[in-house]
């Protein structure tokens, strides 16, 4: 039963990872850019929310009304000032420039907020630790359920938007061929800006939930980026529902790892990521063929 | 009166000049065939007019407005559309979505999904099919339909028959007839000289990036065009 609970917690944790990774995956899907500053930007959103709460005493969810547009604005500025320019210089420059942004952001947050870990948990009251007990060993945390529901709703909303709306079609067309969309009257740079805005809104949501469900510090962006990256790779780059599946697989693997050994949380996630990466790279069929060859007498 | 005026236009791929000092004008409703051997600079010229390739020198005016510095999407809104070589459809999207994407960002006019399907009836049963899964002819029809959805005043067609079966080429040209009869101004790049001469009112022949022959399609002799096409006259002349 304890294992079942670990799996359930892993699924719920997957919702957070999906929310975190969705922006990374979406930006890659549209612009073919891997934003190495994604984790740091999520942490920045958490700090912005914390600053707003401290300054106004607003409840955190009300603060999101202001923080998410600010994150959208940051995404727009980032696209116009950095991504758009670096995109013209080949695939490596965007990676380097977003890495540079991550370094600058991490150090700026350290300068501004210090090294102490902080949390928004106390600001959301009972929601931080209340849960629904399904049985004596099986429970669902209310905040985790909220995060999971938000992830499903956000991913579903984005998927619906991409499939059925003119803006969604424009984004999909640009993702397929940015040079040809210009020939049908679409300004690819504006679509990229839109993609960066959506990506940053997801980063903002993930950052806010990060602050509510755990503690964070200025340098938390790096580990977050690794989780987001693992989620995206497991689920498939650019695939929205794949991101949710990837998040769930990573979350379940980490929780089962933690159930086996308290220090196994991170390593179990990394191992599953590595196994899936190998399978994706070399193909399951080739591996199984290789295994069969190994078992065959010479 | 001209709809398009190209003056001393130059375009390059890195250090290689693909278009050298090209000048010509087109009147509204004209169908101009741009012919020449592979590497003559036809596609680069067309892409430069569409805004997909940057002009190195010279000027392009559309309806008396200098558009040399405008980006491709801005030129589409003025009424210039291009069907690129190789179709370049949004392969993962349906035919209908390909048409809708263009329709949402172009100009308003007579071309809608309904009128495109009238011109290209072969697309009717394939409206919900993925563009990448269509036959070559159907893809070409979709590509032309997509360009028409922007309601262009000047349509640039690059190698519409390339890679298609003779039957598919016949189908595409039969559908193009509606377009030609509607009075849309067209610049057509075509390897098939017979077809190019049949549909065009004027021929411009390019060689090594420059115009070597231009004139009315019915006034130029086939042998004269062939000579210019392959540069036979020039190579016959001792240097």
């Amino acid at each position: 039963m304890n294992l079942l609970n670990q799996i359930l917690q892993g699924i719920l944790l997957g919702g957070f990872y999906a929310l975190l990774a969705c922006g990374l995956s979406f930006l890659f899907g549209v612009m073919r850019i891997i934003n190495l500053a994604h984790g740091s930007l999520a942490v920045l959103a958490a700090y912005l929310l914390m600053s707003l709460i401290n300054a106004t005493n607003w409840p955190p969810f009300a603060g999101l009304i202001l923080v998410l547009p600010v994150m959208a604005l940051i995404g727009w500025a980032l696209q116009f000032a950095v991504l758009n320019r670096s995109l013209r210089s080949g695939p490596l420059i965007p990676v380097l420039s977003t890495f540079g942004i991550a370094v600058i952001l991490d150090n700026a947050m350290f300068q501004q907020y210090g090294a102490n870990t902080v949390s928004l948990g106390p600001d959301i009251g009972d929601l931080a630790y209340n849960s629904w007990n399904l049985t004596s060993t099986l429970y669902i945390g209310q905040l985790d359920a909220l995060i999971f529901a938000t992830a499903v709703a956000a991913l579903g909303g984005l998927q619906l938007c991409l499939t059925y709306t003119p803006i969604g079609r424009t984004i999909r067309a640009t993702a397929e061929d940015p040079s040809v969309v210009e020939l049908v009257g679409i300004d690819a740079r504006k679509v990229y800006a839109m993609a960066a805005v959506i990506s940053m809104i997801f980063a903002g949501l993930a950052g806010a939930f990060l602050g509510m469900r755990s503690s964070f510090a200025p340098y938390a962006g790096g580990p977050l980026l690794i989780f987001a990256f693992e989620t995206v790779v497991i689920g498939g780059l650019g695939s929205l529902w794949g991101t949710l599946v990837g998040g769930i697989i990573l979350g379940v693997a980490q929780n089962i790892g933690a159930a086996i050994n308290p220090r196994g949380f991170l390593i179990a996630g990394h191992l599953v990521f590595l196994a899936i990466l190998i399978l994706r790279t070399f193909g399951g069929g080739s591996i199984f063929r290789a295994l069969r060859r190994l078992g065959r007498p010479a | 009166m001209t709809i398009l005026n190209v003056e001393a236009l130059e375009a390059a791929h890195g250090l290689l000049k693909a278009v050298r000092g090209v000048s010509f004008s087109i009147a509204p409703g004209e169908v101009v065939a741009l012919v020449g051997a592979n590497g003559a600079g036809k596609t680069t010229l067309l892409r430069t007019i569409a805004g997909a390739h940057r002009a190195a020198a010279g000027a392009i005016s559309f309806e008396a407005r200098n558009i040399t510095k405008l980006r491709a999407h801005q030129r589409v809104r003025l009424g210039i559309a291009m069907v690129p070589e190789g179709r370049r459809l949004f392969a993962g999207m349906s035919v209908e979505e390909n048409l809708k994407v263009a329709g949402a960002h172009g100009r308003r006019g007579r071309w809608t999904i309904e009128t495109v399907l009238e011109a290209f009836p072969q697309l009717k049963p394939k409206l919900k099919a993925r563009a990448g899964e269509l036959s070559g002819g159907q893809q070409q029809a979709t590509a032309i339909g997509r360009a028409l959805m922007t309601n262009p005043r000047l349509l640039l067609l690059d190698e519409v028959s390339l890679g298609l079966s003779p039957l598919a080429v016949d189908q595409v040209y039969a559908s193009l007839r509606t377009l030609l009869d509607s009075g849309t101004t067209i610049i057509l790049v075509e390897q098939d000289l017979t077809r190019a001469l049949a549909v065009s009112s004027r021929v411009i022949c390019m060689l090594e990036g420059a115009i070597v022959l231009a004139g009315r399609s019915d006034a130029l002799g086939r042998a004269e065009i062939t000579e210019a096409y392959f540069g036979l006259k020039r190579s016959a002349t001792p240097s």
Side-chain angles (χ1 to χ4, degrees):
Chain A
M1 207 55 160
N2 190 33
L3 184 66
L4 197 63
N5 190 48
Q6 292 298 336
I7 292 171
L8 180 63
Q9 301 314 313
I11 291 170
L12 294 172
L13 179 60
F16 170 69
Y17 288 152
L19 210 51
L20 178 68
C22 179
L24 188 73
S25 175
F26 185 69
L27 200 68
F28 178 82
V30 178
M31 292 179 75
R32 298 288 181 265
I33 278 182
I34 295 171
N35 179 12
L36 294 185
H38 194 78
S40 302
L41 284 157
V43 176
L44 175 70
Y47 272 117
L48 287 176
L49 190 58
M50 187 188 79
S51 298
L52 187 71
I53 292 166
N54 290 344
T56 61
N57 268 332
W58 285 7
F61 290 105
L64 279 176
I65 295 169
L66 206 65
V67 168
L68 292 185
V70 169
M71 289 304 292
L73 206 64
I74 290 172
W76 182 85
L78 193 68
Q79 197 277 331
F80 266 93
V82 181
L83 301 183
N84 206 26
R85 290 161 198 266
S86 57
L87 201 60
R88 284 184 234 137
S89 316
L92 188 61
I93 302 299
V95 174
L96 290 175
S97 49
T98 54
F99 178 70
I101 291 167
V103 171
I104 292 168
L105 276 177
D106 290 354
N107 286 293
M109 288 187 286
F110 176 71
Q111 184 76 25
Q112 179 65 28
Y113 298 104
N116 290 344
T117 54
V118 286
S119 176
L120 301 175
D123 297 298
I124 55 170
D126 294 351
L127 183 63
Y129 45 81
N130 271 1
S131 63
W132 294 294
N133 295 322
L134 305 179
T135 65
S136 59
T137 55
L138 207 61
Y139 65 91
I140 294 176
Q142 289 183 0
L143 179 62
D144 288 338
L146 175 70
I147 295 171
F148 191 86
T150 306
V152 171
L155 286 167
L158 186 57
Q159 183 70 61
L160 285 174
C161 166
L162 288 175
T163 310
Y164 296 108
T165 66
I167 292 172
R169 279 193 290 271
T170 303
I171 292 173
R172 280 162 55 212
T174 309
E176 280 209 27
D177 198 333
S179 59
V180 169
V181 288
E182 291 265 340
L183 292 176
V184 295
I186 296 168
D187 185 351
R189 287 190 302 195
K190 279 190 184 163
V191 179
Y192 284 165
M194 211 184 305
V197 162
I198 292 169
S199 170
M200 281 308 103
I201 289 173
F202 273 94
L205 269 175
F209 283 132
L210 166 79
M212 292 177 201
R213 69 185 300 280
S214 63
S215 57
F216 58 96
Y219 293 106
L224 276 182
L225 177 71
I226 291 173
F227 293 149
F229 200 70
E230 288 180 344
T231 300
V232 168
V233 171
I234 293 170
L237 272 169
S239 159
L240 288 180
W241 290 116
T243 306
L244 182 64
V245 173
I248 289 172
I249 291 173
L250 183 65
V252 169
Q254 288 178 338
N255 273 279
I256 290 177
I260 295 166
N261 185 314
R263 284 178 294 179
F265 181 84
L266 287 178
I267 193 70
H270 295 330
L271 285 175
V272 166
F273 158 73
L274 203 62
I276 290 175
L277 188 65
I278 291 169
L279 273 173
R280 278 188 181 280
T281 309
F282 299 108
S286 327
I287 287 176
F288 294 129
R289 272 195 299 277
L291 286 175
R292 272 202 299 273
R293 270 200 300 276
L294 278 177
R296 200 181 298 154
Chain B
M1 181 179 167
T2 62
I3 188 167
L4 180 78
N5 190 41
V6 175
E7 258 183 59
L9 190 68
E10 302 210 344
H13 296 285
L15 293 174
L16 180 76
K17 267 193 182 176
V19 176
R20 303 159 184 264
V22 166
S23 301
F24 66 93
S25 297
I26 297 181
E30 254 194 311
V31 178
V32 175
L34 199 57
V35 298
N38 279 338
K42 310 178 297 289
T43 294
T44 307
L45 175 60
L46 223 56
R47 284 173 54 81
T48 312
I49 294 169
H53 193 97
R54 193 176 288 183
I60 306 165
S61 303
F62 181 69
E63 296 185 323
R65 178 182 172 177
N66 190 332
I67 59 162
T68 320
K69 300 282 181 202
L70 294 188
R71 290 176 58 206
H73 72 272
Q74 294 169 312
R75 299 186 197 195
V76 171
R77 283 167 201 170
L78 290 178
I80 300 176
M82 181 176 177
V83 178
E85 185 181 341
R87 279 87 76 174
R88 305 278 299 272
L89 293 173
F90 307 122
M93 296 167 73
S94 70
V95 171
E96 188 179 23
E97 286 177 322
N98 269 271
L99 299 178
K100 277 184 174 174
V101 162
H105 296 91
R107 301 161 65 243
R108 297 281 164 266
R110 65 168 283 221
W111 291 104
T112 58
I113 290 184
E114 288 72 33
T115 49
V116 166
L117 292 179
E118 275 171 33
F120 298 95
Q122 65 267 45
L123 293 181
K124 265 184 199 164
K126 297 288 180 184
L127 208 55
K128 302 286 178 197
R130 278 185 172 212
E133 292 165 359
L134 302 177
S135 69
Q138 289 163 342
Q139 285 191 358
Q140 192 59 272
T142 309
I144 298 170
R146 186 180 65 181
L148 291 176
M149 287 293 289
T150 66
N151 281 288
R153 277 182 276 195
L154 172 65
L155 183 61
L156 311 169
L157 298 170
D158 195 3
E159 306 272 20
V160 284
S161 62
L162 194 72
L164 300 186
S165 69
L167 189 69
V169 176
D170 286 343
Q171 262 191 341
V172 168
Y173 268 90
S175 298
L176 268 181
R177 181 57 59 191
T178 322
L179 192 60
L180 299 168
D181 295 341
S182 72
T184 309
T185 311
I186 295 172
I187 303 180
L188 173 78
V189 166
E190 180 57 82
Q191 294 277 1
D192 185 339
L193 204 54
T194 311
R195 283 193 190 276
L197 289 172
V199 297
S200 64
S201 50
R202 198 148 59 95
V203 176
I204 293 175
C205 187
M206 289 183 74
L207 182 72
E208 294 174 0
I211 293 177
V212 286
L213 182 73
R216 289 196 58 78
S217 306
D218 50 9
L220 291 173
R222 196 183 166 86
E224 196 180 359
I225 297 172
T226 311
E227 273 184 357
Y229 192 104
F230 292 110
L232 299 177
K233 243 180 195 171
R234 193 187 57 171
S235 56
T237 314
S239 55

